[in-house]
Amino acid sequence: MTHPLLDLAPLSAARFAEIEDRVARLLDTRQDVVIMQGEALLPLEGAIRGTAGPGTTALNVITGPYGQTFGNWLRDCGAKVIDLAVPFHTAVTAGQISAAFEEHPEIDFVSLVHAEAATGNTNPVAEIGGVVRRRGALFYLDAVASVGAEPVLPDAWGVDLCVIGAQKAMGGPAGVSAVSVSARAWERMAANPGAPRRSYLSLLDWKERWIDGGRRALLHAPAQLEMLALEACVERIEADGLETVMARHRSAAAATRAGARVLGGGLEPYVHEDGAAAPVATTLRTPGGVVASELVSRALSLDPALPLAAGGGALAAEMIRVNHYGADATWEVVRGCLAALGAALGENVSVDVEGALRAAEEAWR
Ligand SMILES: *Cc1c(COP(=O)(O)O)cnc(C)c1O
């Protein structure tokens, strides 16, 4: 008997190219889109190692844990790194990026995370892109957590390297990922003696052996199941409509924030300004004396299926993450999370769960 997951016809180069084209349409980009055969960290690292080197001066914006990682890779490549760290409860502004260029006109590379699922903020990429483009620097963007939850438009925003993964708001697989690469970024890589070549991290290999060859022969056996899952997930987004999928995430974030504000008990949105809050996931700050990871455990004991988590590392003490993305970007999930958090918090202090759910439902619409 044939097995649905195992006994598949090989994935053709033509089908692979078609999936790349669909992803390109999702990003509304005419840049080359390369689907990398690994989790998003693969193109994230490959794009930095491909374009940065000892001659690079990088402005690395840190609005969460991924920015730290990018800075480490950049330093490892020999780049001079200027870190611009902003508190996790807010977003970076285009003005701060401008000021960094004023102070260090030699900056020729900017790395930025669009939305941070880990900290719940989102950055104004369109405005920042305008600044970066005027300065002629290469613009690298991690849009893994934003794609599907809010617009991601590399061409309109002047992003040279835009990395996405399907495992968050796209509701897809984690095992493959994609990066759109501008002509300038390809030039930078071609001129970089330190860019990975003949390596799994190499984007240039895909350029030279896949794209320049007319996308007729794959470099190696593709991750077939993940490619099919990516195709299915893009197909589903196309069928629902990208606008509809993004609206669901916007509503989930707005409802979670509105509910948390009314719930009381000292719980509040971690990100202060609504405009700086990511549609992909909402972070909440626990009141003094309430350990976030313990509150999450109590809430999950009421309903283990809820997408609740405590913040990573030291944030586990004070941050709750409501991961209302992908299939969890629904009113039922938001209601469930608020009700469970309210019940857990209400064991010790007075909370208004009914009021919170009413406010959340209103904000959802
Ligand atoms: C989720 C995410 C990634 C991918 O990392 P995983 O933890 O492996 O899913 C990369 N960048 C950002 C900003 C993310 O939120």
Side-chain angles (χ1 to χ4, degrees):
M1 243 193 8
T2 59
H3 190 288
L5 296 180
L6 302 177
D7 304 311
L8 299 162
L11 188 81
S12 68
R15 181 90 170 266
F16 192 104
E18 215 173 276
I19 300 170
E20 285 183 332
D21 293 344
R22 284 180 103 144
V23 172
R25 280 198 294 278
L26 195 68
L27 299 177
D28 203 10
T29 183
R30 302 175 73 143
Q31 297 178 2
D32 290 320
V33 166
V34 182
I35 298 185
M36 298 291 277
Q37 301 296 289
E39 201 271 336
L41 285 167
L42 177 63
L44 285 169
E45 181 171 354
I48 282 185
R49 294 197 185 276
T51 49
T56 307
T57 301
L59 173 63
N60 181 48
V61 183
I62 302 175
T63 53
Y66 289 95
Q68 297 280 6
T69 303
F70 303 160
N72 293 339
W73 286 332
L74 286 162
R75 274 180 275 270
D76 193 51
C77 292
K80 181 181 166 212
V81 182
I82 296 149
D83 282 321
L84 171 56
V86 301
F88 293 166
H89 66 257
T90 184
V92 72
T93 65
Q96 285 174 292
I97 305 291
S98 259
F101 273 105
E102 288 296 327
E103 200 179 329
H104 307 278
E106 70 278 19
I107 291 168
D108 61 359
F109 181 101
V110 175
S111 48
L112 175 72
V113 176
H114 185 186
E116 295 266 11
T119 44
N121 46 23
T122 189
N123 295 301
V125 181
E127 285 169 58
I128 292 169
V131 174
V132 176
R133 188 38 70 95
R134 275 196 295 284
R135 295 290 187 152
L138 210 68
F139 191 16
Y140 164 102
L141 186 71
D142 174 350
V144 175
S146 52
V147 67
E150 56 187 306
V152 174
L153 301 167
D155 292 14
W157 298 344
V159 178
D160 294 290
L161 294 152
C162 183
V163 175
I164 65 160
Q167 72 264 39
K168 301 257 169 72
M170 287 175 69
V176 289
S177 48
V179 54
S180 72
V181 187
S182 72
R184 305 164 71 224
W186 284 131
E187 282 162 24
R188 187 85 75 104
M189 275 186 248
N192 179 7
R197 289 173 167 84
R198 306 280 151 173
S199 155
Y200 208 63
L201 280 170
S202 177
L203 284 166
L204 278 179
D205 286 359
W206 284 89
K207 165 80 171 138
E208 289 164 6
R209 294 162 60 197
W210 169 244
I211 295 171
D212 292 350
R215 297 195 297 178
R216 276 191 276 273
L218 289 160
L219 272 58
H220 54 77
Q224 185 174 15
L225 290 173
E226 284 81 1
M227 289 300 294
L228 295 177
L230 177 61
E231 184 182 50
C233 120
V234 176
E235 229 163 55
R236 186 165 66 178
I237 292 171
E238 288 169 356
D240 290 349
L242 179 58
E243 220 14 87
T244 304
V245 175
M246 292 193 294
R248 261 201 313 263
H249 286 86
R250 262 198 316 275
S251 289
T256 306
R257 290 171 64 79
R261 284 190 172 118
V262 172
L263 185 65
L267 202 66
E268 55 188 44
Y270 199 95
V271 176
H272 299 181
E273 305 272 336
D274 288 341
V280 68
T282 299
T283 47
L284 304 173
R285 184 188 288 277
T286 50
V290 176
V291 177
S293 55
E294 290 169 8
L295 187 67
V296 165
S297 297
R298 290 209 299 280
L300 287 176
S301 72
L302 301 170
D303 185 350
L306 294 171
L308 292 170
L315 293 171
E318 60 175 35
M319 182 191 282
I320 293 171
R321 296 162 57 189
V322 185
N323 291 324
H324 47 61
Y325 52 69
D328 285 327
T330 66
W331 163 242
E332 288 70 28
V333 166
V334 168
R335 185 185 55 201
C337 289
L338 288 169
L341 288 172
L345 198 58
E347 290 169 15
N348 301 309
V349 291
S350 99
V351 290
D352 178 9
V353 176
E354 289 299 307
L357 294 181
R358 267 198 308 276
E361 193 167 15
E362 212 158 282
W364 179 280
R365 298 198 227 100

